[in-house]
Amino acid sequence: MHGRMMFQPLLISDLLEHAAQYHADTPIYSKNTNGQMYETHWKNIADNAKRGAKAFEALKLGHGDCVATLAWNNHRHLEAWYAISGSGLICHTINPRLFPEQLIFIINDAKDKAILFDKTFLPLINAIKAHIPLVKSFICLDAPDAEIVKALPEVLFYDDLIAAQSAEYTWPEFDENTASSLCYTSGTTGNPKGALYSHRSTVLHSLVASLPDSMNLSAKDIILPVVPMFHVHAWGTPYSAALVGCTVVLPGPGLDGDSLVKLIDDYKVTIALGVPTIWQSLLVAAKQSGTKLESLTRNVIGGSACPPSMLATFRDVYQCETIHAWGMTEASPLGTVNQPKAKHLLLPIEQQHKLRLSQGRPPFGVKLRLVDEENGTNEVAYDGETHGNVQLKGHWIIERYFGKDQSSLTSDGWFDTGDIASLDQDGYLHISDRAKDLIKSGGEWISSVELENIAMGHPEVAMAAAIAATHPKWDERPVLIAVKTPESTLTEEALIQYYNDKIAKWQIPDRVIFVDAIPLSGTGKMLKRKLREDFGDVLLNSAEAI
Ligand code: ADP
C-alpha cells in the first residue's frame, strides 16, 4: 500500500509542548500553600517541567519508577506532574485525606521512590516516614525554609533542584502505552486499589474531555479546577487546559466558599469544576457576599449526584450553566457528560431543564451498557426507566488494577462500575445509586439519591444523606440524616411532610435525624458507610419497627 499518515505516539509531554509553543504567555495563577498568589505562564511551566525532569534524572529516578505527589493544586505541583510523566516516570497522586495506614499501604504498594509534598503535609510525612522504606527522596514543593529543614533534615527543595538545571531538555519519546500516572480509589471498602493510566489513555481522554459536548474548553477559557489534582487528576483538567491552551487558576489549599468566590471574581474565571459539597459552600458564600459570579458561564459538577436545586440556583440566580458529569477513578474519570442535542433545544424550557439533571451521555470513546443484576450480561431495556448495573468499555477505562494479574472485566470484556442507573435511547444515563447505597425495602428499591435530592430542595436543608436502616419487617427502610441551615427551625415531622406528593408514600424516609455535620470522604463525598454504622440501627426497637 502506498501512502500513509505519520505516526506519533500520544504522549503527555506533547500536551505541554503545545501549550508552551502556542500559548506561551497564557497565564497560570496559583495560590501557594502560604496563601499568596503567584503568576506564571505556560512557557515557564514547561521550562520548569524540563528542569524538573533533569533533576529527577540526577536523583537516579529511572523510567517506570513511581514518584508520588502529596500536594494541593498549585503551579509547582503542575510542573512536577508534567516533569514526572513526561520523562517516563509514573506520577502517583496521593489523596492526603486518606488515613495514615492507607497512605502507608498505597506508597508501599506503588513502590514510590520519591515524594513531592506541600508544607501542609510535613507532619503527615513525618508520621509515616518510618513505614515507607522505599522512598529515598522527600522533596518539598514550597519555598525553602528553616522550619521545614528542622522538621525533616533530609528534605530537598523543589525550587533548589530546578534552579540547578537548565531548561535544555528534549522529552523522551516512547511507546504511548507506557504507564504515565497512578491514582488509587479512596477505598471505602477494603484497601485502596490503584488505577494505572497510560500516556495514550490520558491524551485521548484530554481530547474528548475538551470537546464542545464535554466541558467545551477553549483558549478563551479561564479554568478553575477546584477538584484536587489528587482526585482523578482534577478530572483531567490540567491536561485538557494545556491541550486547548487556556488560562488556569489553581486554588491551592483554600477550598472554602469565600476563597473560591474571591478567586472566581478576581481572576474572571469562566469555568470551574468540583463535587457538590464544594458548590454547596460556594453558594452560601456567594449569597453572603452578594456577588453575581458574573464571569462564570458554566461549572462542571460530578463525583456525586448534583441536586436539582443546586443546578437551578446556578442557572436562575447566577446565569451559570451546570454541566453534570459522571465518572470514576477507573474511567480516568469521564464516563458521561450532560450536554443537550439540537432536538432538545426545541423542547419546552421545563423539559430542557429536566433533561439537564441526568448524568448525561457518553462521549466518543466510552461505551455504556446496563445489565440486570441476576444475570451479569443480560442487557435491560433502554427506556429511561428500567434500572441495571452500569458497565463500561473504552479507551480510558481500566482493564485491571495496579499490581494485579487478573483482569477486572466481565467474561465478555466490560468493566462493572458498581452503579445502578437507567439509560434512554439517546444514551442519557440517570444514576439512581451506588449498588451498595440502594435501600431495599421489602424487596423494592428506593434510590438514596432521589431522597437526598428532594431534601436538598428544602430551603432549610444544607446537606442530606439517605441511608438504609435495618428494619425487622421490611429488611431496610430509608432514614435521612440531615444538616440544617444555620437559623433553621425545621422539625423532623415537617421535613417528612415535605416528601408528600413528591414520591410514593412507601419511599418516604421513616425518620429524619438532624446532625451538625455529615462526615465526608477524602474526595468530598458523604461517607454513607460511616452513617450506616452510626444510624443503621435506629429503627430497631423504635415504635415504627413493630
Ligand atoms: P470514590 O468515591 O470511590 O473514591 P470515585 O471518585 O472514582 O471514587 O467515585 C466514583 C463514583 O462516584 C461513581 O461510581 C458514582 O457512584 C459516583 N459518582 C460520580 N459522579 C456522579 C454523578 N454525577 N452522579 C452520581 N454519582 C456519581
Side-chain angles (χ1 to χ4, degrees):
M1 191 78 74
H2 297 296
R4 70 171 94 161
M5 292 294 132
M6 277 185 203
F7 173 78
Q8 278 195 292
L10 300 169
L11 297 178
I12 284 173
S13 54
D14 280 341
L15 297 171
L16 186 60
E17 278 303 289
H18 170 81
Q21 194 165 1
Y22 302 112
H23 305 277
D25 61 355
T26 298
I28 311 289
Y29 302 103
S30 166
K31 190 180 263 187
N32 284 331
T33 311
N34 64 10
Q36 271 165 12
M37 290 304 292
Y38 177 82
E39 181 177 343
T40 178
H41 49 57
W42 277 116
K43 174 77 167 75
N44 268 345
I45 296 283
D47 282 350
N48 282 345
K50 289 177 173 177
R51 293 186 176 100
K54 287 167 79 171
F56 296 144
E57 233 168 69
L59 288 175
K60 302 270 177 294
L61 293 165
H63 192 88
D65 282 344
C66 280
V67 174
T69 66
L70 196 57
W72 302 113
N73 294 5
N74 60 48
H75 69 283
R76 291 186 183 94
H77 194 186
L78 182 65
E79 292 168 6
W81 247 36
Y82 276 106
I84 298 167
S85 299
S87 64
L89 302 165
I90 300 171
C91 183
H92 171 200
T93 48
I94 299 182
N95 183 345
R97 296 172 189 141
L98 293 178
F99 299 121
E101 309 82 64
Q102 290 178 318
L103 288 174
I104 293 167
F105 170 82
I106 65 171
I107 291 170
N108 289 334
D109 191 52
K111 301 192 174 53
D112 291 329
K113 299 274 187 321
I115 294 189
L116 290 88
F117 64 96
D118 281 343
K119 188 176 176 182
T120 320
F121 306 116
L122 185 60
L124 208 50
I125 293 281
N126 263 328
I128 63 174
K129 208 179 68 181
H131 308 283
I132 47 174
L134 297 176
V135 177
K136 298 291 176 242
S137 311
F138 293 91
I139 305 168
C140 181
L141 288 170
D142 278 281
D145 90 45
E147 195 191 325
I148 303 173
V149 178
K150 192 163 169 240
L152 187 72
E154 67 267 58
V155 71
L156 299 169
F157 288 96
Y158 171 81
D159 284 0
D160 293 343
L161 294 180
I162 61 168
Q165 304 291 340
S166 77
E168 290 303 309
Y169 178 79
T170 309
W171 294 109
E173 203 172 284
F174 40 74
D175 183 343
E176 62 184 19
N177 289 308
T178 304
S180 59
S181 48
L182 177 63
C183 202
Y184 282 77
T185 61
S186 43
T188 32
T189 50
N191 270 329
K193 289 183 282 188
L196 186 67
Y197 312 101
S198 71
H199 283 259
R200 175 188 159 81
S201 70
T202 304
V203 173
L204 289 174
H205 180 271
S206 314
L207 272 166
V208 170
S210 313
L211 288 173
D213 269 3
S214 298
M215 287 190 257
N216 189 12
L217 294 180
S218 85
K220 296 191 285 295
D221 274 313
I222 301 171
I223 188 170
L224 173 69
V226 182
V227 51
M229 286 160 72
F230 56 74
H231 187 195
V232 218
H233 297 153
W235 302 343
T237 45
Y239 302 122
S240 297
L243 184 141
V244 301
C246 66
T247 299
V248 186
V249 180
L250 296 164
L255 303 182
D256 58 287
D258 291 328
S259 303
L260 295 174
V261 161
K262 187 161 165 39
L263 283 181
I264 292 173
D265 286 343
D266 286 357
Y267 293 94
K268 311 256 175 298
V269 168
T270 58
I271 174 167
L273 303 90
V275 295
T277 43
I278 286 284
W279 294 111
Q280 189 66 30
S281 53
L282 180 134
L283 284 175
V284 171
K287 193 169 175 193
Q288 269 164 5
S289 80
T291 175
K292 285 283 165 250
L293 301 172
E294 260 159 51
S295 59
L296 197 71
T297 57
R298 59 213 193 281
N299 61 347
V300 179
I301 302 190
S304 307
C306 171
S309 52
M310 183 178 281
L311 198 137
T313 306
F314 275 110
R315 183 187 64 220
D316 300 337
V317 181
Y318 297 100
Q319 281 73 53
C320 170
E321 177 196 8
T322 292
I323 302 169
H324 191 192
W326 166 82
M328 63 194 317
T329 307
E330 290 88 338
S332 303
L334 191 61
T336 58
V337 200
N338 192 318
Q339 291 281 9
K341 301 183 182 182
K343 67 177 180 184
H344 298 137
L345 303 178
L346 306 173
L347 294 172
I349 198 73
E350 295 74 34
Q351 280 189 42
Q352 290 191 39
H353 288 165
K354 189 157 177 260
L355 189 100
R356 298 304 296 268
L357 297 176
S358 91
Q359 278 74 7
R361 56 193 163 85
F364 169 78
V366 175
K367 282 185 189 160
L368 270 183
R369 77 172 184 183
L370 301 190
V371 297
D372 67 35
E373 214 186 359
E374 260 98 80
N375 177 337
T377 56
N378 260 7
E379 285 185 68
V380 305
Y382 297 145
D383 53 10
E385 286 178 7
T386 312
H387 289 87
N389 293 28
V390 185
Q391 299 189 339
L392 292 175
K393 220 180 220 196
H395 298 290
W396 49 87
I397 310 298
I398 198 166
E399 194 263 334
R400 66 189 62 196
Y401 287 97
F402 178 72
K404 301 284 178 250
D405 297 331
Q406 262 182 346
S407 162
S408 287
L409 306 185
T410 59
S411 55
D412 57 348
W414 292 77
F415 177 74
D416 194 294
T417 63
D419 283 343
I420 308 286
S422 64
L423 190 65
D424 70 16
Q425 284 293 319
D426 287 320
Y428 285 81
L429 186 76
H430 204 111
I431 299 277
S432 33
D433 234 322
R434 279 188 144 182
K436 57 183 183 334
D437 292 337
L438 265 181
I439 302 157
K440 281 199 181 133
S441 171
E444 296 286 344
W445 284 0
I446 303 174
S447 155
S448 66
V449 173
E450 197 178 350
L451 297 182
E452 288 153 14
N453 283 345
I454 293 173
M456 290 298 287
H458 193 290
E460 293 177 42
V461 173
M463 205 183 276
I467 57 159
T470 312
H471 192 284
K473 180 164 172 204
W474 302 109
D475 290 340
E476 290 178 0
R477 285 294 300 155
V479 166
L480 190 83
I481 315 296
V483 180
K484 291 193 250 191
T485 54
E487 263 103 56
S488 164
T489 51
L490 188 62
T491 60
E492 174 172 11
E493 295 70 37
L495 189 49
I496 289 178
Q497 282 266 319
Y498 184 71
Y499 278 92
N500 281 342
D501 305 325
K502 295 192 173 71
I503 40 167
K505 266 210 151 31
W506 62 271
Q507 296 178 324
I508 297 177
D510 281 12
R511 289 219 41 203
V512 170
I513 297 170
F514 291 113
V515 292
D516 292 338
I518 287 178
L520 298 180
S521 77
T523 50
K525 303 184 195 194
M526 297 185 291
L527 265 186
K528 293 201 191 168
R529 180 178 46 84
K530 175 83 177 72
L531 292 175
R532 278 195 296 265
E533 272 168 30
D534 293 350
F535 301 105
D537 290 343
V538 288
L539 299 182
L540 298 174
N541 312 324
S542 74
E544 294 96 310
I546 299 149

